[in-house]
Amino acid sequence: MAGLKQTIIRGGLESLYFSGAHAALRPFVGGVGVILTMHHVREPRPDRFQPNRLLELTPRFLARVIKLLRRSDIDLVSLDEMHRRMTEGDFSRRFVCLTFDDGYRDTLTHAYPILKDAGAPFAVYVPTGFPDRLGELWWLALEAVIAKNERVGLVIEGQNRTFDCSTIAEKRALYDDLYWWLRARPTEAEMRAIVRNLAACYHVDVASLCAQLCMDWQEIATLAADPLVTIGAHTVNHPMLAKLPEGMVRAEIDMSAAVIEAALGARPHHLSYPYGDAGSAGGREFAIARELGFKTAVTTRPGVLFRSHAEQMTALPRISLNGEYQQLRYVRVLLSGSATAMWNGFRSQQAA
Ligand SMILES: [Zn+2]
């Protein structure tokens, strides 16, 4: 199913590019700017089972994207500058913000040298539990369990179930099914408990995934010392906020800002909602972020920025650079706004 969906998306991007439609549509759907979402930047790996590859770009591709942006008639700006342009109505030039979620170590080791070299400002949204080494990268724990086993057993609705996953195709299908089944658990606590259990049964060390992949505070401080870098909040425990009671939502966001301030000496003004889809952050979260004083907050709802987003700066859409589609022509189409306009049924002028 995932493969079919990718083929359809790729086909859509290709036809928008080769038909020239993306260029024709741009004046109508291109908006005033774009916030790009990225996660990992690292060398490609040969493994055939990589269900989270969509979250990884190669350093070479990132360098090519930055070159493309530098050649284009577009400004690379910080989140503060984006906020200024949006609130002051300064739309004389289109702009792009670069953002990285989760504070992975490769942001420092692989992305930073490229961005520093290009003088490109960027933001890193840090869930404070990750550098505090309390982070549960449960989607990677699930990947590890499926990768190293030929069968996986799980209690689902009180029943012992066993799933075969000896072939790559079975592993991919099982990952997809279990990932979305877990995301659909009614509470964050239940989802976390299931993955913790699974990891313990199959000897996957969840804590070591965090230490291995995420920056510590020292490394984050190295980035934060560079004026090109904005450190943003991304909650403490990286939960689907919409599933938490209101008090916990407020605490997750407020505490994370306080912890970043204590660690780095400055309170963050920008926030990214974990997962960021409609099921993870909605009107209640947008209002809380505003009340807590954040200048901007970003979702992962796909779209470019329009003037009207100035009215809802804590509910901004972004465009994800997906590791499955590392072609510059796709980036051109995405920046034009035509792909997301199409996916949103040309309704994106009214901000989500
Ligand atoms: Zn995240």
Side-chain angles (χ1 to χ4, degrees):
M1 234 355 247
L4 179 61
K5 203 170 122 202
Q6 277 167 18
T7 307
I8 292 168
I9 292 172
R10 191 169 284 125
L13 290 170
E14 295 282 7
S15 64
L16 281 169
Y17 181 76
F18 288 110
S19 69
H22 74 289
L25 286 168
R26 193 185 125 170
F28 308 103
V29 297
V32 295
V34 173
I35 308 174
L36 293 177
T37 312
M38 290 166 276
H39 288 81
H40 288 285
V41 175
R42 61 184 179 193
E43 297 302 337
R45 293 172 295 148
D47 314 51
R48 289 185 57 220
F49 175 58
Q50 288 191 57
N52 289 294
R53 193 174 64 174
L54 74 168
L55 302 175
E56 300 188 23
L57 302 177
T58 66
R60 183 166 166 268
F61 182 66
L62 176 64
R64 293 182 66 210
V65 169
I66 301 302
K67 235 183 230 156
L68 168 72
L69 292 170
R70 281 290 186 219
R71 275 201 313 268
S72 310
D73 191 25
I74 212 162
D75 294 340
L76 282 174
V77 303
S78 67
L79 292 176
D80 277 338
E81 172 63 9
M82 177 271 285
H83 177 264
R84 186 195 69 74
R85 290 184 186 203
M86 292 297 291
T87 51
E88 292 179 9
D90 177 359
F91 302 125
S92 53
R93 291 179 55 80
R94 281 189 95 216
F95 59 83
V96 169
C97 296
L98 305 173
T99 67
F100 295 84
D101 282 16
D102 300 344
Y104 294 113
R105 182 166 291 119
D106 53 51
T107 304
L108 173 66
T109 56
H110 288 70
Y112 181 49
I114 294 166
L115 299 165
K116 175 96 181 146
D117 205 45
F122 65 100
V124 186
Y125 295 110
V126 178
T128 57
F130 290 13
D132 280 337
R133 297 299 182 244
L134 302 166
E136 291 180 311
L137 288 77
W138 63 266
W139 55 97
L140 297 181
L142 178 65
E143 176 182 339
V145 167
I146 295 174
K148 66 179 200 178
N149 290 285
E150 304 209 323
R151 311 187 109 197
V152 171
L154 198 62
V155 179
I156 293 183
E157 279 154 19
Q159 303 227 315
N160 272 316
R161 302 273 306 271
T162 309
F163 302 95
D164 286 319
C165 51
S166 50
T167 70
I168 297 296
E170 283 169 341
K171 287 183 193 300
R172 286 180 185 154
L174 180 60
Y175 183 88
D176 238 36
D177 288 349
L178 290 185
Y179 176 88
W180 289 109
W181 176 72
L182 285 164
R183 285 283 303 267
R185 292 309 84 213
T187 66
E188 182 78 23
E190 182 185 337
M191 183 193 79
R192 297 290 178 112
I194 295 167
V195 178
R196 236 171 264 153
N197 233 320
L198 199 60
C201 283
Y202 292 95
H203 311 290
V204 167
D205 183 354
V206 184
S208 85
L209 285 172
C210 182
Q212 206 184 309
L213 292 169
C214 300
M215 289 187 281
D216 59 27
W217 284 113
Q218 194 58 49
E219 290 167 313
I220 295 168
T222 306
L223 280 182
D226 190 322
L228 285 175
V229 182
T230 302
I231 302 294
H234 197 37
T235 74
V236 175
N237 295 303
H238 204 278
M240 280 173 262
L241 291 170
K243 289 189 184 174
L244 300 182
E246 181 167 344
M248 279 177 79
V249 175
R250 207 173 283 277
E252 277 282 349
I253 298 175
D254 201 20
M255 285 269 293
S256 71
V259 172
I260 289 174
E261 183 174 12
L264 303 175
R267 191 175 168 90
H269 301 299
H270 306 277
L271 169 74
S272 162
Y273 305 104
Y275 311 97
D277 60 313
S280 306
R284 182 185 65 171
E285 287 69 36
F286 304 155
I288 291 173
R290 198 167 48 238
E291 284 162 35
L292 290 173
F294 285 93
K295 287 161 82 172
T296 75
V298 293
T299 67
T300 54
R301 299 187 194 198
V304 300
L305 298 180
F306 293 95
R307 289 161 193 265
S308 56
H309 283 109
E311 306 302 318
Q312 43 187 87
M313 292 296 284
T314 57
L316 299 176
R318 289 190 290 178
I319 286 181
S320 177
L321 290 186
N322 186 315
E324 301 284 0
Y325 313 104
Q326 300 190 54
Q327 300 284 343
L328 281 188
R329 59 180 184 273
Y330 297 158
V331 177
R332 287 200 183 92
V333 170
L334 289 169
L335 291 176
S336 76
S338 52
T340 41
M342 207 167 213
W343 289 327
N344 295 332
F346 290 96
R347 270 176 285 108
S348 57
Q349 277 88 342
Q350 291 128 38

